[in-house]
């Protein structure tokens, strides 16, 4: 008798070649129509499944795990995993995995692109041109902030933060300062030409402040009205980390009243909803959570998530586990 393949759910649409790979190992229920399920609907789809391929938009928490007793592994196609309640998953003996490494350079590229677009007012000036408003050259037209030689501040200095630091220091001769939960070792600081400073100094000194820290209860509204008022009125703020790290309502006010010069946002509180006030201020560049979105990188992320499912369910070993302690614990 041919042994039955384990059943898994792929919760969002994904590259067909990745589905084909998963199909060789599992009985796969896919969602190529990309229906956005409610938590209740997701729980229904998960019945009888031992693994799930998620993106950042499916919440995995104690309530879901309680009604999906057969689930053993959740593989996120994202480096961020704030959609996972990892403590609840560990308590339930469910492994979580993410996709670190494969998106570092692509995301750092995008962080820098957003910084440049924001400081040099590219989106705002393009809207002006498309609206047919350009009728002459003017000495101060869309004069933005200098990028080369300015001070680049980075909040959160993991792999992506270091990638942005390298681009700033080596490509644009920027002075790099950073703040992080823990200080980097000397060799990494030297490679990034980055100096560790307090959060207060970071806010006060940065000409361009890039947020690359993970979202958690402790980073919720890490940038709010108080922090924005510590920044230079000429400064730009770039968020490629997660919505919720910035208080978007406070940011819209700060952009309107000139507390800071401009912002570039790829992530939003409650996305895909965007705070309505951000849609009406001109000095903000808004993109729909695409920092890792190149064909090659998104494919690499999807393959890594799939390989985590295959590795864990077929060989007992995931490539990039988030809570490896469940691997040594008794299977549930
Ligand atoms: C990540 O990898 O965390 C990205 O935000 C997903 O697009």
């Amino acid at each position: 008798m041919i042994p039955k393949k384990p059943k898994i759910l792929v919760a969002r649409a994904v590259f067909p070649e990745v589905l084909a790979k998963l199909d060789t190992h599992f009985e796969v229920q896919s969602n190529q129509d990309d229906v956005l399920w409610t938590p209740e609907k997701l729980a229904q789809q998960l019945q009888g499944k031992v693994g799930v391929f998620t993106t950042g938009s499916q919440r995995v928490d104690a309530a879901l795990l309680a009604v999906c007793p057969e689930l053993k592994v959740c593989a996120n196609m994202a480096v961020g995993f704030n959609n996972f309640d990892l403590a609840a998953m560990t308590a339930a003996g469910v492994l979580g995995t993410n996709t670190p490494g494969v998106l570092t350079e692509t995301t750092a590229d995008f962080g820098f692109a957003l910084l440049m677009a924001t400081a040099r007012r590219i989106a705002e000036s393009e809207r002006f041109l498309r609206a047919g408003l350009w009728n002459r050259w003017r000495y101060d037209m869309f004069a933005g902030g200098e990028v080369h030689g300015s001070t680049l501040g980075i909040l959160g200095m993991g792999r992506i933060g270091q990638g942005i630091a390298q681009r700033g220091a080596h490509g644009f001769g920027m002075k790099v300062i950073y703040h992080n939960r823990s200080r980097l070792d000397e060799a990494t600081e030297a490679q990034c030409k980055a100096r560790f400073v307090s959060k207060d100094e970071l806010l006060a000194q940065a000409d361009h402040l890039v947020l690359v820290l993970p979202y958690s209860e402790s980073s919720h509204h890490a940038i709010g009205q108080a922090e924005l008022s510590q920044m230079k009125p000429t400064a730009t703020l770039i968020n490629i980390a997660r919505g919720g790290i910035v208080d978007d309502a406070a940011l819209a006010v700060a952009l309107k009243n000139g507390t800071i010069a401009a912002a570039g946002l790829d992530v939003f509180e409650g996305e895909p909803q965007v705070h309505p006030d951000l849609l009406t201020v001109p000095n903000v560049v808004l993109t729909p959570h695409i920092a890792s979105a190149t064909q090659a990188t998104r494919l690499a992320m999807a393959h890594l998530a799939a390989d985590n499912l295959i590795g864990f369910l077929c060989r007992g070993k995931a490539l990039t586990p988030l809570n490896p302690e469940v691997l040594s614990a008794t299977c549930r």
Side-chain angles (χ1 to χ4, degrees):
M1 203 173 80
I2 305 165
K4 271 197 176 164
K5 289 180 183 175
K7 290 186 185 174
I8 66 157
L9 175 71
V10 178
R12 294 290 307 276
V14 73
F15 296 93
E17 58 264 54
V18 173
L19 266 190
K21 175 160 82 174
L22 287 167
D23 265 331
T24 65
H25 298 274
F26 307 116
E27 197 179 305
V28 180
Q29 183 188 328
S30 61
N31 179 15
Q32 290 303 76
D33 290 337
D34 214 24
V35 178
L36 295 175
W37 292 317
T38 60
E40 295 72 33
K41 194 76 187 164
L42 175 65
Q44 268 173 28
Q45 309 296 322
L46 276 171
Q47 295 310 301
K49 312 293 191 307
V50 292
V52 61
F53 182 117
T54 52
T55 65
S57 48
Q58 294 77 51
R59 177 103 190 117
V60 177
D61 56 15
L64 182 84
L65 296 170
V67 294
C68 302
E70 287 164 84
L71 193 63
K72 291 190 173 70
V73 55
C74 304
N76 224 23
M77 182 188 151
V79 65
F81 52 90
N82 54 303
N83 57 315
F84 287 174
D85 179 340
L86 209 56
M89 289 168 70
T90 305
V94 173
L95 184 73
T97 66
N98 66 340
T99 60
V102 294
L103 47 65
T104 303
E105 299 303 326
T106 299
T107 306
D109 283 349
F110 185 87
F112 220 87
L114 195 53
L115 186 164
M116 297 285 287
T118 303
R120 298 303 309 274
R121 305 177 65 178
I122 289 176
E124 195 185 348
S125 61
E126 203 221 25
R127 282 195 298 272
F128 170 87
L129 182 150
R130 281 182 188 271
L133 298 171
W134 185 31
N135 57 11
R136 73 192 75 172
W137 182 94
R138 233 188 94 89
Y139 74 98
D140 61 349
M141 192 166 73
F142 293 107
E146 207 71 88
V147 174
H148 73 272
S150 64
T151 296
L152 171 61
I154 301 175
L155 186 57
M157 197 62 155
R159 293 181 186 87
I160 299 169
Q162 290 168 38
I164 291 168
Q166 304 255 13
R167 283 159 178 75
H170 301 293
F172 290 81
M174 295 169 92
K175 188 171 124 195
V176 181
I177 54 177
Y178 76 97
H179 184 73
N180 197 38
R181 266 175 311 188
S182 48
R183 192 173 165 174
L184 300 178
D185 60 67
E186 256 178 60
T188 313
E189 277 190 354
Q191 222 172 32
C192 298
K193 290 193 172 178
R195 184 167 67 86
F196 182 81
V197 295
S198 67
K199 186 177 170 190
D200 286 342
E201 188 175 346
L202 185 80
L203 293 167
Q205 296 300 323
D207 292 312
H208 307 287
L209 177 61
V210 185
L211 308 178
V212 211
L213 65 168
Y215 179 76
S216 66
E217 257 173 47
S218 62
S219 63
H220 181 73
H221 287 188
I223 302 293
Q225 195 236 325
E227 290 76 15
L228 290 161
S229 60
Q230 284 178 264
M231 294 174 69
K232 298 179 185 179
T234 49
T236 66
L237 175 72
I238 310 300
N239 187 8
I240 57 165
R242 276 290 181 273
I245 292 174
V246 176
D247 176 345
D248 286 347
L251 175 61
V253 173
L255 290 167
K256 251 185 220 165
N257 66 20
T259 305
I260 64 168
L265 307 174
D266 185 49
V267 286
F268 304 88
E269 278 190 287
E271 65 183 55
Q273 305 305 317
V274 175
H275 193 289
D277 293 351
L278 287 173
L279 296 170
T280 61
V281 283
N283 47 342
V284 59
V285 182
L286 306 167
T287 53
H289 202 146
I290 56 167
S292 62
T294 64
Q295 282 289 334
T297 292
R298 285 283 166 88
L299 185 61
M301 290 164 69
H303 272 298
L304 180 50
D307 290 343
N308 272 317
L309 287 171
I310 296 163
F312 179 63
L313 290 171
C314 304
R315 294 187 280 278
K317 209 166 163 16
L319 297 171
T320 49
L322 290 165
N323 51 348
E325 56 273 31
V326 306
L327 296 171
S328 47
T330 328
C331 281
R332 77 178 194 148

